[in-house]
Amino acid sequence: TGYEAAVIAEALGTFGEAAKAAVPGLLVASRDHEAYARTRAAAALQRISPGTKAALGPLVRNLRVADTLGREQALWALEQLGTNGASALPVLVAHCLRDHVPEVRIIAMRCIGKIGQVDDAVIAGLSENVTNGNYFVKQQAVETLAQFAGRTQAAFVALLKAKASSPVSQIRGDVATKLELISHQDPTFLVQCLELND
C-alpha cells in the first residue's frame, strides 16, 4: 500500500500489455488510501489495459483533491499518458484550468496539449488563462493555444484575440511570432479571420 504500491504500479505500467496479469492487483491499488498510489495504479491500468472500465477514474478524482501535491501528481501522470488520457479532458477544463494554484493550471495546460483534443470548452478555458495574473500561466496558455491554432480556426482566432488583449508586451510579441509561423504554414485561417466581424 501507499508509496510502495505507487512505485510497483509505475513499474508495471512500463510493461504495457505484457503486464495484463497485474490488472486485478492494480484495481485494488487504485482504491488505496494514498492519493499517489491511486494515481500511479490508475495510470498503469490505462497503459496496460486501456479498455478496463473506468481505469482512469481514481486519477481523475485525484485532480480534485484538496492537497496541491496530490493534484500535481495526478496531472504529471496524465501528462505522461498523452492521448491515452483523453477521458480526463472534461475535468481538466472544468477544474484544473481554474485551479487557484498557478502551477496546477500550467501542468493542466501541458496535459491538454499532450492529449491533443480541442473543442470550444478547451479554447474558452485556455483563452481565460491568457488573461490570468500570473505571467507563466499566460505564457503556457499561449503555447497550448498555438499547438491547436494550426488545426482549428477557433484556436487561431483565440490567439489573435490574445494578441490584441494582453497587457504584457512580451506575451503580445510571442503571440505575434506564433501567428506568423502558423500563417506561413497555412494561410487559410488568416484569410478566413479577415472575413470575421469581430
Side-chain angles (χ1 to χ4, degrees):
T1 60
Y3 182 76
E4 289 177 340
V7 172
I8 292 166
E10 189 167 7
L12 285 166
T14 63
F15 292 102
E17 290 184 12
K20 278 221 186 240
V23 167
L26 287 168
L27 286 167
V28 171
S30 71
R31 295 186 294 273
D32 195 279
H33 66 282
E34 297 253 350
Y36 186 56
R38 292 192 304 267
T39 289
R40 298 318 307 179
L45 273 170
Q46 193 68 7
R47 284 192 184 96
I48 294 166
S49 181
T52 302
K53 189 177 178 183
L56 268 186
L59 187 151
V60 172
R61 284 190 292 280
N62 285 347
L63 294 173
R64 300 181 195 174
V65 296
D67 176 48
T68 301
L69 181 60
R71 294 194 308 279
E72 289 177 343
Q73 288 170 339
L75 286 165
W76 291 324
L78 196 56
E79 187 177 13
Q80 291 174 350
L81 285 173
T83 57
N84 212 2
S87 62
L89 192 58
V91 176
L92 280 172
V93 173
H95 295 281
C96 300
L97 288 186
R98 292 176 174 87
D99 199 281
H100 65 280
V101 178
E103 185 61 29
V104 170
R105 288 184 184 223
I106 290 167
I107 305 166
M109 287 185 271
R110 289 197 322 244
C111 286
I112 290 169
K114 294 278 187 179
I115 289 170
Q117 293 181 12
V118 66
D119 58 22
D120 291 342
V122 170
I123 300 294
L126 292 172
S127 297
E128 188 179 308
N129 278 283
V130 167
T131 61
N132 187 275
N134 183 291
Y135 174 80
F136 299 104
V137 170
K138 290 177 189 170
Q139 190 177 42
Q140 185 60 55
V142 165
E143 196 65 43
T144 308
L145 272 172
Q147 283 183 250
F148 298 118
R151 291 188 276 156
T152 69
Q153 184 178 357
F156 191 89
V157 169
L159 265 184
L160 278 173
K161 289 180 179 177
K163 182 181 180 299
S165 67
S166 179
V168 180
S169 62
Q170 193 170 351
I171 295 287
R172 287 194 308 272
D174 189 30
V175 172
T177 301
K178 290 180 185 324
L179 286 167
E180 187 176 341
L181 289 170
I182 294 164
S183 297
H184 285 302
Q185 293 168 0
D186 181 3
T188 309
F189 292 140
L190 184 59
V191 172
Q192 290 171 349
C193 289
L194 291 173
E195 299 168 357
L196 296 174
N197 291 329
D198 60 346

